[in-house]
Amino acid sequence: MKKIFLFSLLAFMGCIFWSCQNNKSDKVCHVKGTIDEKYNGKRIFMVPMTDSRKEVVDSVVIENGKFEFESDTMMIAKILVDYHFRMGTEPILIVVEPGEVNVKIGSTSSAGGTPQNDSLQQWKVHKQEFDQRMMLMSAEINRLSKEGKQSAANDLTLRKDSFNLAFKNYTRQMASNLKSGTLHDFLTPMYPKTYRRQLPDGTYVTIDADTNEQIEE
């Protein structure tokens, strides 16, 4: 009888241990990355966006063109190669969340595999296209202005402002759709719809961030 009781107790404790380990595993983010093998032996870092102190930065050595990180802390982090060898690679932001995040580091880097990282990758693609188009439009506006074609420059400026507003609203809508979570908290303050301005008499008024006009309260 004692042997049966002891066996049952050990089995019960084993189940509890397995359950605890399994629950802990469910909360861990596994980052699995690939990079050109020419970076073998170099160190790659995972740096929290809000805290870059040495003691919270994780790093591993690249082996066979691969690297891995693990963390159970929900956050936005940047993955980047040692600055001595970083040229030719693009640092990338990821959401550290439970699951497996697949990262590819190169001249254009990408990440995905978990819900928030898939959304973040979608936003980053739009952001890259937005930045490129804004740069081209700004260059064209400068060229037109130098050539004395101010009317055309003004028209293009209006189109640029409209394009800028469209991207702001795209970001705001994505944050709203997410409702909560790490990525929601990262995107929400990026393009606020209003801000407060202090007047010369010391009072504050609310300003529309898109039109820079005062909102009557």
Side-chain angles (χ1 to χ4, degrees):
M1 181 67 71
K2 289 183 178 179
K3 289 183 178 180
I4 295 175
F5 175 76
L6 181 60
F7 176 79
S8 299
L9 180 61
L10 290 173
F12 177 69
M13 292 178 65
C15 287
I16 292 177
F17 177 77
W18 179 86
S19 177
C20 290
Q21 290 298 105
N22 191 53
N23 289 337
K24 183 178 180 181
S25 178
D26 289 344
K27 298 177 181 179
V28 173
C29 177
H30 303 273
V31 179
K32 296 189 176 181
T34 59
I35 190 171
D36 194 299
E37 290 192 4
K38 69 181 181 180
Y39 294 99
N40 285 349
K42 307 300 187 291
R43 194 162 284 276
I44 190 164
F45 298 83
M46 185 166 74
V47 184
M49 275 289 290
T50 57
D51 190 351
S52 59
R53 290 175 300 151
K54 185 182 297 185
E55 54 266 32
V56 298
V57 172
D58 196 1
S59 69
V60 295
V61 174
I62 299 165
E63 297 180 3
N64 300 317
K66 297 179 181 180
F67 58 89
E68 293 187 13
F69 293 102
E70 284 190 0
S71 176
D72 58 2
T73 302
M74 295 279 284
M75 61 180 171
I76 296 285
K78 181 181 290 187
I79 295 181
L80 64 171
V81 179
D82 184 334
Y83 76 92
H84 293 98
F85 312 101
R86 193 174 302 163
M87 186 172 294
T89 66
E90 178 186 51
I92 189 169
L93 292 179
I94 66 164
V95 180
V96 179
E97 64 174 331
E100 184 172 301
V101 183
N102 300 306
V103 175
K104 182 178 180 180
I105 299 293
S107 57
T108 301
S109 299
S110 61
T114 62
Q116 291 187 87
N117 279 290
D118 289 343
S119 294
L120 178 56
Q121 180 62 29
Q122 179 185 342
W123 179 82
K124 284 185 292 191
V125 169
H126 277 75
K127 181 69 164 61
Q128 288 169 345
E129 294 173 350
F130 167 76
D131 290 342
Q132 179 68 15
R133 188 168 174 183
M134 289 291 281
M135 183 178 67
L136 292 174
M137 293 175 82
S138 295
E140 182 65 7
I141 290 169
N142 289 334
R143 184 188 68 80
L144 291 169
S145 296
K146 288 179 179 179
E147 293 178 358
K149 301 176 182 178
Q150 199 55 49
S151 178
N154 292 340
D155 289 342
L156 187 55
T157 298
L158 291 176
R159 287 169 54 195
K160 179 185 172 186
D161 291 343
S162 178
F163 182 61
N164 186 36
L165 179 58
F167 181 75
K168 286 182 180 180
N169 287 332
Y170 166 77
T171 301
R172 290 165 178 163
Q173 189 60 54
M174 176 174 279
S176 176
N177 291 343
L178 290 167
K179 295 184 173 59
S180 62
T182 304
L183 184 56
H184 168 273
D185 296 342
F186 172 70
L187 295 176
T188 297
M190 202 167 284
Y191 298 111
K193 289 187 176 182
T194 62
Y195 64 91
R196 301 285 285 173
R197 176 186 292 168
Q198 185 176 17
L199 300 179
D201 63 3
T203 60
Y204 285 86
V205 294
T206 301
I207 304 297
D208 186 307
D210 297 328
T211 64
N212 287 318
E213 296 179 355
Q214 181 177 336
I215 298 174
E216 297 299 330
E217 299 179 278

